[in-house]
Amino acid sequence: ENQGGCFELFGLDVLLDEHLKPWLLEVNLSPSLVADAPLDRTIKSNLVSDCLNLVGVPVRSQPPGPVQHRPAPSEEVGPLSTLEARLQECSDRQLAMLRGLEKEMNRAHNFI
């Protein structure tokens, strides 16, 4: 079983000429995951989902729809029982990976 859970994401800018021949313009070491348009959101949501699936964090595929209002913690109703139940189903390896992702998100200031 593969114990690795690391990856890097590169962004490639490619131009197609009139003969559909691809020309590599640049490689971005830290591509933006900001999604301003619906198509951009669809592409980048699937990209993030695929990356997480590749490193062993199963992500359910959902067609991206309109951005849902997330209630502030003061607006939440009831305990996080669903989340707690899901976390109890995780293996030690999955929990360790989630803790690492949380640490990375905090380090990256939740830019995603």
Side-chain angles (χ1 to χ4, degrees):
E1 181 176 319
N2 182 1
Q3 295 296 321
C6 296
F7 64 92
E8 287 192 55
L9 178 66
F10 297 97
L12 304 176
D13 290 346
V14 178
L15 178 69
L16 298 176
D17 67 16
E18 65 274 3
H19 303 291
L20 299 179
K21 179 179 179 181
W23 293 88
L24 180 63
L25 299 177
E26 69 178 352
V27 177
N28 300 301
L29 300 178
S30 183
S32 171
L33 294 177
V34 174
D36 297 324
L39 178 60
D40 209 22
R41 183 167 184 255
T42 299
I43 291 169
K44 291 177 180 177
S45 295
N46 288 331
L47 169 75
V48 170
S49 176
D50 288 346
C51 286
L52 291 174
N53 282 322
L54 283 170
V55 294
V57 179
V59 178
R60 182 177 45 153
S61 295
Q62 294 179 338
V67 176
Q68 300 290 328
H69 166 70
R70 271 188 158 162
S74 60
E75 297 176 15
E76 288 181 0
V77 180
L80 297 175
S81 58
T82 304
L83 175 59
E84 291 168 357
R86 297 283 311 268
L87 288 173
Q88 288 176 356
E89 296 172 1
C90 291
S91 68
D92 290 341
R93 180 173 177 247
Q94 289 170 324
L95 289 172
M97 192 175 296
L98 288 171
R99 282 191 288 277
L101 287 170
E102 181 180 38
K103 186 187 291 186
E104 182 65 20
M105 287 295 295
N106 289 334
R107 187 193 67 74
H109 306 291
N110 297 311
F111 76 98
I112 295 179

